[in-house]
Amino acid sequence: MVWPRPRRLGAEEQARHTGKRYAAESRFKMVGLAAVLTSMGLLVLLLSTIVGQGFTAFWQTSLSLDVNLDAAEIDPQGTRNPQDIMAANYAGLINDALYAKFPEVTSRSDRRDLRGLVSVGAPGQVAQYVLDNPDVIGTTQRVTVLTDDVVDQFVKGKIDRDLPESARPISDQTIGWIDRLEQDGAISSNFNTLLFENGDSREPELAGIWGAIVGSFWMMIIVLALAVPIGVSAAIYLEEFAPKKSKLVDLIEVNINNLAAVPSIVFGLLGLAVFLNTLHLPRSAPLVGALTITLMTLPIIVVATRAALRAVPPSIRDAALGVGASKIQTVGHHVLPLALPGIMTGTIIGMAHALGETAPLIMIGMVAFIVDIPSGPLSPATVLPVQIYIWADSPERAFAERTAAGIIVLLAFLITMNALAVILRKRFERKW
Amino acid sequence: MGFIILVVLAAVAYGVALKRAAGTQGTSKAWHSRPGHFAWYALGLAIGPAFLVWAAWQIFGGSVVSGLVAGGLPPEIAALPPLERNFFLSEASRLAYGQPTIREATPEVVAAAEAYSRYFTIGTVAMWAAIAALFCAGLAMALGRIAPDTRARNAIERWVTTALLAAAAISILTTIGIVFSVAYEAFRFFQSVSVFEFLFGTRWSPQMAIRADQVGSSGAFGAVPLFTGTLLITTIAMLVAAPLGLLSAIYLSEYAPPWIRSIAKPVLEILAGVPTVVYGFFAALTVAPFVRGLGESLGLSVSSESALAAGVVMGIMIIPFISSLSDDAINAVPRALRDASLGMGATRAETMRQVIFPAALPGIIAGLLLAISRAIGETMIVVMAAGLAANLTANPFAGVTTVTVQIATLLTGDQEFDSPKTLAAFALGLVLFLATLTLNVVALYVLNKYREKYD
């Protein structure tokens, strides 16, 4: 081949050419930097949107009312029997307190709107208050009850009062009442403990994530108990014991790599067909969710554990075998302890992944509307990400706020787990 | 309860054997195995078979008892239609196990419940008798073998190796489980809807008619709109993620000063760790209204659940995936190539474009293929932001639906396992499984075939 003879450039031309190349260089660098900044900006946007939406859900608007806790209504016999106290008509007492506060409201429809200021959970709150303090029966007490979710959203400024009346879910009249109550200091904002005590509810102001957290807890316990021993064992076998030329081992290797790439929803189909329809395990139970998620998490743990085992230098194994240890003793006494930090890091990351998984759990019925706090791995439950999905689907405005709050709690768990993994890696990382 | 008894028995076997072995062995050095090995050996021999019996009873005991009760039913009950007979049996078992019954118990139910408790008691007693016999026999055998030349350690190590192999084989079982369960239900679906119609039909409306004359519920199962919808969203996602992820990886591996890298790497890791349901919420709540507003200001009609919103957010989700895989591919190119190019006077950008990028290309392409496979299988973002309308369109502002959305929707809520509506989800799942599997295999093939082997 004949190479073309390079043309010799003049000094000026040369400088221009070099300048062009350097300009291209800095353009390329800027484009790369822009890509990194865009990615980081997108994360900031994502997190700030969610925190901005959700942090207000940690406070809930309450209304203080002077309720006449009439002895004739609550405890006509004077027995202080808790069942009688619970059975009284507290809704009526609260309504009377509201009517007394706004004596000018007389028409039936207006009074209905007025009653709508307080949450449907308010009578239960008053009942609990009376039950805890039986001495107040027969007196008039200032009781703090939850407001309805629309009032709550208005007080938090999430509903624009300048909109025309027909375009917002709250009437001018109601806004007038709320303004008067605010002037009287009857409206207060308290830390939302119900969010961390209740299960799901149709009423946004009563809905909490505790049921979902407990469901997630049961599920993760079982995933931990199944996925970690099986995953670590499988990795030990493949890395330390598997014969190098074996069809079975090759098959297992290919399988594990492929399973790691199978979409999570396919595992949901597997769980539905095998655990629910063939083995007839209970629907919506954390046990079934855990079995499904375990199959999904196993490949992650196997891959991480193998990497950790591979990082232990062969000289350690040779030394142990050289002084007469058996293969099992070599692995059990020397390789495994040295690989443990890496295994734990991989396991935590796998568990964090499992905690955030949603799609397969929808398939096996964990989207059911469940109010009760699950009592064990077999009782119907939902988990945090699925609860987030359920709320995100709800039309009420106040649920958007709850959804974001649920996400904040979920992300807090995940970030804690990931931080733990990073600390473990930093603390125990060894260079051989 | 039974499990605790087994644990106690195991501890007993271990303790007895340890004591005996240590006592016989004394300080003699001529023994093959240490006392601890004999203890584990005894534990395995005594508890292993007993545990199997216990587990078998836990799993199959219930159905064995039901079968026996069903076999011994009085003729007038046995002649009932299956549904009523099953109800009768479940009532009897509820009564027998102390759960509240749905109806008032009739004398027949009480009799069947007594049969339940009788068979259950007999079975439980028989199980524990078998366990006791196996335990004693196993322990006696193990104790009898405590001798200097017994290879107890080798036996234990064989067991442990077998257990490790069994753990590794679970992955095969999982794959078999996926293939069989999904393929079986899909096969049942294809008995009522032809494969050809499913793969090439252009109308998707899985609502089956409840009454014969019902309007608008013909039950059409042409999946082409789902495939094009998936393709559209995946394309949008890759258009967002591929340049951003690739350029981020190039910048971070070639240009970034350490302090930028120390910020950007964790940020990308956080992006990778955010659950998809969070992205879905972000897409539905923030991006979709934004896209809608943008389109309207341009005079376009945008549906509130547009392919664009779901695709862009899916792209954001995939950025860290592409960037970390590209980063690995770029770092796998040996230092010497880079140094040679820079030594010739090439700028970093020229080195990147003309030397490193071509060398890393197989790895990058494999990474992109894996990213596509992940985008195809992603569910939550599209469920929450892409909508249900099966439109056959390439317009990114229209609402489309995807394979995963349809699987999730068809299987949410009450299902009967004999309607094509439910089974269609499994056929879609099979397509999804095969598609992602193919992409994964092709990615591996590209990597192995075209990767340059240096050193």
Side-chain angles (χ1 to χ4, degrees):
Chain A
M1 182 168 180
V2 182
W3 291 94
R5 193 189 169 81
R7 190 165 58 90
R8 189 168 285 276
L9 301 177
E12 200 181 317
E13 210 180 349
Q14 172 88 58
R16 204 157 356 105
H17 186 79
T18 312
K20 250 190 205 160
R21 286 176 56 218
Y22 285 178
E25 161 80 10
S26 64
R27 270 203 306 278
F28 191 70
K29 187 173 166 180
M30 282 305 129
V31 170
L33 184 60
V36 173
L37 290 180
T38 313
S39 312
M40 282 160 68
L42 287 171
L43 178 69
V44 172
L45 179 69
L46 175 75
L47 293 183
S48 60
T49 314
I50 283 161
V51 172
Q53 270 281 329
F55 83 102
T56 48
F58 294 102
W59 285 268
Q60 194 70 27
T61 309
S62 297
L63 180 62
S64 301
L65 284 174
D66 296 319
V67 181
N68 176 18
L69 300 166
D70 188 1
E73 168 60 44
I74 297 174
D75 191 18
Q77 271 95 43
T79 54
R80 296 291 189 263
N81 181 350
Q83 264 169 358
D84 292 348
I85 292 180
M86 286 308 275
N89 177 15
Y90 291 99
L93 297 179
I94 293 172
N95 294 342
D96 290 343
L98 281 166
Y99 300 153
K101 189 102 187 166
F102 297 97
E104 75 282 5
V105 180
T106 49
S107 84
R108 282 185 63 145
S109 70
D110 287 352
R111 284 195 151 189
R112 198 177 57 227
D113 288 351
L114 188 60
R115 292 199 295 270
L117 284 178
V118 296
S119 157
V120 295
Q125 284 185 301
V126 180
Q128 194 59 48
Y129 168 72
V130 174
L131 205 59
D132 293 344
N133 312 286
D135 299 342
V136 298
I137 295 175
T139 62
T140 297
Q141 291 289 332
R142 211 170 168 75
V143 185
T144 308
V145 296
L146 283 178
T147 61
D148 188 59
D149 58 300
V150 178
V151 178
D152 172 59
Q153 294 295 298
F154 176 77
V155 172
K156 284 173 179 168
K158 300 218 169 190
I159 298 172
D160 188 359
R161 71 162 69 209
D162 297 330
L163 284 172
E165 187 173 7
S166 58
R168 50 178 145 81
I170 189 164
S171 67
D172 288 339
Q173 192 187 25
T174 313
I175 291 182
W177 292 334
I178 296 173
D179 287 345
R180 249 178 69 196
L181 287 168
E182 278 192 308
Q183 276 163 16
D184 295 352
I187 287 197
S188 58
S189 183
N190 303 312
F191 183 72
N192 189 357
T193 47
L194 281 183
L195 185 65
F196 298 99
E197 287 171 0
N198 280 7
D200 198 1
S201 168
R202 297 275 183 231
E203 304 296 325
E205 70 272 17
L206 296 176
I209 51 172
W210 184 244
I213 291 180
V214 173
S216 277
F217 169 79
W218 283 117
M219 199 184 81
M220 296 311 287
I221 288 285
I222 304 176
V223 172
L224 195 69
L226 291 176
V228 175
I230 297 178
V232 172
S233 308
I236 292 176
Y237 181 78
L238 292 175
E239 201 56 39
E240 304 286 340
F241 293 97
K244 287 290 164 256
K245 281 207 189 333
S246 154
K247 279 262 169 346
L248 179 68
V249 173
D250 284 350
L251 189 66
I252 293 175
E253 292 244 29
V254 171
N255 252 303
I256 287 178
N257 288 334
N258 280 334
L259 279 182
V262 169
S264 60
I265 194 165
V266 174
F267 284 97
L269 290 174
L270 169 76
L272 179 63
V274 174
F275 299 133
L276 292 187
N277 287 335
T278 309
L279 298 181
H280 298 291
L281 293 172
R283 269 180 90 77
S284 312
L287 175 70
V288 181
L291 290 172
T292 312
I293 296 283
T294 297
L295 296 180
M296 215 187 74
T297 318
L298 268 177
I300 303 178
I301 293 183
V302 171
V303 170
T305 305
R306 291 188 70 177
L309 289 172
R310 221 172 297 144
V312 176
S315 56
I316 303 267
R317 295 180 186 88
D318 297 344
L321 292 172
V323 295
S326 72
K327 199 87 182 119
I328 296 258
Q329 286 169 328
T330 306
V331 172
H333 298 174
H334 303 280
V335 180
L336 207 51
L338 288 173
L340 206 56
I343 294 176
M344 279 166 72
T345 310
T347 303
I348 293 173
I349 288 171
M351 297 299 281
H353 193 89
L355 180 60
E357 194 52 65
T358 320
L361 301 177
I362 291 179
M363 314 261 87
I364 54 165
M366 293 191 103
V367 274
F369 174 71
I370 292 154
V371 178
D372 298 328
I373 309 295
S375 56
L378 287 175
S379 57
T382 189
V383 293
L384 255 182
V386 178
Q387 184 70 70
I388 289 167
Y389 167 65
I390 297 173
W391 282 349
D393 248 14
S394 305
E396 279 102 335
R397 215 191 156 76
F399 270 124
E401 188 195 57
R402 299 269 149 167
T403 313
I407 290 176
I408 293 174
V409 173
L410 177 63
L411 287 180
F413 276 118
L414 293 180
I415 289 173
T416 314
M417 288 170 84
N418 280 310
L420 200 65
V422 170
I423 290 171
L424 268 175
R425 191 161 55 198
K426 283 252 151 58
R427 178 99 169 68
F428 293 104
E429 196 174 44
R430 296 175 79 151
K431 289 265 185 273
W432 300 94
Chain B
M1 182 59 206
F3 189 73
I4 296 172
I5 295 178
L6 285 182
V7 170
V8 171
L9 286 179
V12 168
Y14 183 89
V16 169
L18 186 67
K19 201 150 180 244
R20 175 78 66 87
T24 334
Q25 196 168 351
T27 51
S28 159
K29 301 256 180 202
W31 285 58
H32 173 272
S33 298
R34 308 272 308 135
H37 296 138
F38 284 108
W40 282 109
Y41 183 64
L43 191 153
L45 273 188
I47 284 299
F51 179 79
L52 289 183
V53 169
W54 181 77
W57 175 250
Q58 296 303 315
I59 295 169
F60 302 112
S63 30
V64 169
V65 168
S66 307
L68 286 173
V69 174
L73 282 179
E76 69 273 16
I77 305 278
L80 285 173
L83 209 63
E84 281 178 52
R85 206 177 57 217
N86 285 345
F87 178 75
F88 176 86
L89 284 176
S90 60
E91 282 281 270
S93 78
R94 272 194 283 273
L95 190 64
Y97 298 131
Q99 291 155 346
T101 50
I102 292 167
R103 284 195 213 135
E104 196 73 25
T106 59
E108 288 87 1
V109 171
V110 174
E114 276 166 5
Y116 257 109
S117 339
R118 198 169 54 242
Y119 286 125
F120 187 76
T121 316
I122 294 172
T124 314
V125 169
M127 174 196 68
W128 283 112
I131 285 179
L134 286 171
F135 176 79
C136 293
L139 187 59
M141 200 157 123
L143 291 180
R145 286 194 188 159
I146 294 179
D149 54 354
T150 301
R151 302 252 182 288
R153 197 193 74 207
N154 301 26
I156 304 166
E157 293 187 344
R158 241 185 348 264
W159 298 343
V160 171
T161 321
T162 314
L164 293 179
L165 174 63
I170 284 184
S171 75
I172 298 189
L173 286 182
T174 311
T175 312
I176 293 176
I178 289 179
V179 171
F180 268 77
S181 59
V182 176
Y184 174 68
E185 307 287 353
F187 175 71
R188 283 174 59 194
F189 171 73
F190 289 130
Q191 283 177 330
S192 52
V193 177
S194 82
V195 181
F196 187 80
E197 188 197 329
F198 175 71
L199 287 181
F200 301 105
T202 54
R203 232 172 62 74
W204 177 267
S205 90
Q207 260 48 35
M208 289 304 279
I210 298 169
R211 302 186 314 273
D213 56 340
Q214 204 171 345
V215 188
S217 49
S218 50
F221 292 98
V224 169
L226 312 189
F227 299 150
T228 55
T230 307
L231 215 61
L232 178 62
I233 288 183
T234 306
T235 311
I236 298 170
M238 292 310 289
L239 286 178
V240 172
L244 281 175
L246 198 52
L247 287 169
S248 300
I250 289 174
Y251 182 78
L252 288 178
S253 64
E254 295 299 316
Y255 290 103
W259 68 272
I260 289 193
R261 208 170 311 166
S262 70
I263 297 172
K265 286 254 160 150
V267 164
L268 287 173
E269 267 173 42
I270 295 177
L271 263 182
V274 172
T276 52
V277 68
V278 177
Y279 284 110
F281 180 67
F282 179 64
L285 192 89
T286 311
V287 180
F290 175 75
V291 168
R292 192 184 159 89
L294 193 76
E296 271 167 4
S297 68
L298 294 173
L300 297 164
S301 88
V302 181
S303 83
S304 61
E305 295 180 319
S306 62
L308 190 61
V312 166
V313 174
M314 195 187 280
I316 298 176
M317 183 197 83
I318 293 175
I319 290 173
F321 191 71
I322 292 186
S323 114
S324 86
L325 288 176
S326 313
D327 198 43
D328 292 347
I330 290 171
N331 284 334
V333 176
R335 191 89 240 152
L337 259 69
R338 195 171 321 213
D339 292 346
S341 170
L342 292 173
M344 297 277 285
T347 63
R348 281 184 174 276
E350 287 161 354
T351 306
M352 191 69 214
R353 277 199 302 254
Q354 290 162 16
V355 178
I356 300 177
F357 190 72
L361 199 57
I364 291 175
I365 288 181
L368 290 178
L369 287 176
L370 291 177
I372 292 175
S373 135
R374 172 167 284 210
I376 290 176
E378 169 48 40
T379 310
M380 292 321 292
I381 295 176
V382 280
V383 165
M384 294 165 85
L388 294 171
N391 295 326
L392 185 55
T393 172
N395 173 10
F397 292 108
V400 295
T401 192
T402 70
V403 174
T404 49
V405 172
Q406 289 303 320
I407 296 177
T409 348
L410 292 175
L411 290 181
T412 311
D414 46 337
Q415 326 133 347
E416 313 135 48
F417 259 78
D418 38 15
S419 78
K421 179 174 179 274
T422 316
L423 295 176
F426 285 90
L428 290 173
L430 186 65
V431 172
L432 187 65
F433 179 69
L434 292 178
T436 50
L437 193 68
T438 312
L439 279 169
N440 192 32
V441 170
V442 170
L444 279 182
Y445 175 78
V446 167
L447 208 55
N448 289 331
K449 175 112 206 253
Y450 296 102
R451 188 175 43 193
E452 300 281 340
K453 294 266 192 314
Y454 306 98
D455 47 68

